[in-house]
Amino acid sequence: MTALVLVEVENGEVRQASRSAIAAASRFGDVDALVFGEGADAAARLPGIARVLSVPSLANELAEPAAALLASRAKDYSHIVAAASATGKNILPRLAGLLDVQPIPDVIEIKDAETFVRPIYAGNALATVRSADSIKVLTVRGSNFDPVAKDGGSAPIETLDAPAGETSAFVKVELSTSDRPELESARVVISGGKGMKDAANFKLLEPIADKMNAAIGASRAAVDSGFAPNEMQVGQTGKIVAPELYIAVGLSGAIQHLAGMKDSRVIVAINADPEAPIFKVADYGIVGDLFQILPELEKSL
């Protein structure tokens, strides 16, 4: 069997989530990588890659042409895999529709080539599913698979043309820049909730994050209130993280947020409400005023 992995490249490097997807796909046999835009060379250096399919003319990963291209190559593969990222969740369901197969999202464990484990009910239960489709289309959670190394391979590169006739068009992209680690791969994450009260107070997290080399996250309530941008959202409808240390500040612990971080190795909660649900999953809890605790934590660090 051969698997095809949709590989995401950012700033000249393959994203950790995609390297985890490659590790997962290697369970099925040989692995080919598909790269849109630039970055084929970075993918070719990954260990375990048999061949890289490069589509330099499709730099913006639009779902319509990307899914059409994948569908045209699908017959050569038993499994098509992507990270459970915004890109993977955008493209692979459309591909599954074109192939008339059932997509299997958010896989956290691979039992065998046909059997997978995925969370349901916001992570409160795990479902073991078996697919009889001839082509399995799945996204995997990067936090549940150890990523392959960045170097060690030398796969050949084959260049493909983007399919013609698709009607979607790229307009623009707006990206925020940060020197901090990527949220999904950071060793430490500190997140703020609605208890931060406003966007200005969110900056209280920054000096602590800088001292701990941590990424900054946010709850959905904080994002919806305009305290933080959407790309910082952690949770079922945001990013799934599982760092070594997760610090939840002013964050009640709604079920959709817990679904995105409860697999963290150590969870620290800071909240004025001793009955907040976040304390039920926290390893350490501090009940108190975050506006007093954060400056003391920064000073101690």
Side-chain angles (χ1 to χ4, degrees), residues 19-214:
R19 291 190 286 117
S20 294
I22 290 168
S26 65
R27 297 279 304 273
F28 308 129
D30 295 333
V31 178
D32 286 354
L34 176 66
V35 180
F36 296 117
E38 303 298 326
D41 291 339
R45 294 195 299 269
L46 299 177
I49 298 296
R51 179 178 56 158
V52 175
L53 304 178
S54 174
V55 193
S57 59
L58 193 59
N60 300 299
E61 300 172 336
L62 295 173
E64 292 82 359
L69 177 65
L70 281 164
S72 70
R73 310 286 298 200
K75 66 181 185 300
D76 298 328
Y77 300 98
S78 60
H79 298 76
I80 299 178
V81 184
S85 61
T87 297
K89 292 176 180 179
N90 189 32
I91 295 174
L92 259 61
R94 186 178 184 88
L95 168 65
L98 293 174
L99 298 177
D100 194 24
V101 301
Q102 173 67 49
I104 307 170
D106 285 326
V107 171
I108 61 171
E109 183 183 350
I110 296 171
K111 297 285 190 180
D112 56 43
E114 297 181 344
T115 313
F116 315 95
V117 178
R118 62 177 299 268
I120 58 175
Y121 300 122
N124 287 298
L126 299 179
T128 300
V129 298
R130 176 171 291 167
S131 172
D133 290 324
S134 58
I135 302 172
K136 308 331 187 255
V137 176
L138 57 147
T139 63
V140 300
R141 286 194 179 180
S143 58
N144 291 87
F145 298 90
D146 293 331
V148 300
K150 294 182 180 179
D151 293 291
S154 57
I157 300 174
E158 177 184 338
T159 301
L160 306 178
D161 293 325
E166 295 296 335
T167 57
S168 63
F170 174 74
V171 178
K172 67 175 181 177
V173 61
E174 295 182 6
L175 296 175
S176 58
T177 58
S178 175
D179 295 328
R180 296 190 180 91
E182 184 180 356
L183 188 59
E184 292 162 299
S185 60
R187 188 183 66 85
V188 179
V189 174
I190 180 168
S191 288
K194 201 169 183 180
M196 300 300 295
K197 294 186 177 179
D198 59 41
N201 288 331
F202 236 80
K203 295 186 181 298
L204 293 173
L205 304 178
E206 294 180 359
I208 297 173
D210 291 339
K211 290 185 177 183
M212 302 185 74
N213 191 32

Side-chain angles (χ1 to χ4, degrees), residues 216-246:
I216 297 179
S219 68
R220 177 171 180 170
V223 171
D224 289 347
S225 299
F227 299 173
N230 183 264
E231 64 263 24
M232 288 170 57
Q233 182 175 322
V234 174
Q236 186 179 21
T237 53
K239 295 181 178 178
I240 309 297
V241 301
E244 293 181 24
L245 173 62
Y246 189 90

Side-chain angles (χ1 to χ4, degrees), residues 224-288:
D224 289 347
S225 299
F227 299 173
N230 183 264
E231 64 263 24
M232 288 170 57
Q233 182 175 322
V234 174
Q236 186 179 21
T237 53
K239 295 181 178 178
I240 309 297
V241 301
E244 293 181 24
L245 173 62
Y246 189 90
I247 304 174
V249 182
L251 200 153
S252 65
I255 188 171
Q256 83 90 27
H257 184 82
L258 298 183
M261 47 66 70
K262 65 181 181 181
D263 290 332
S264 304
R265 184 168 299 178
V266 177
I267 299 172
V268 177
I270 302 172
N271 200 294
D273 179 10
E275 302 299 322
I278 190 68
F279 287 121
K280 294 180 180 179
V281 299
D283 299 284
Y284 301 93
I286 303 175
V287 178

Side-chain angles (χ1 to χ4, degrees), residues 11 68 88 105 162 207 221 262 294:
N11 299 323
K262 65 181 181 181
L294 287 180

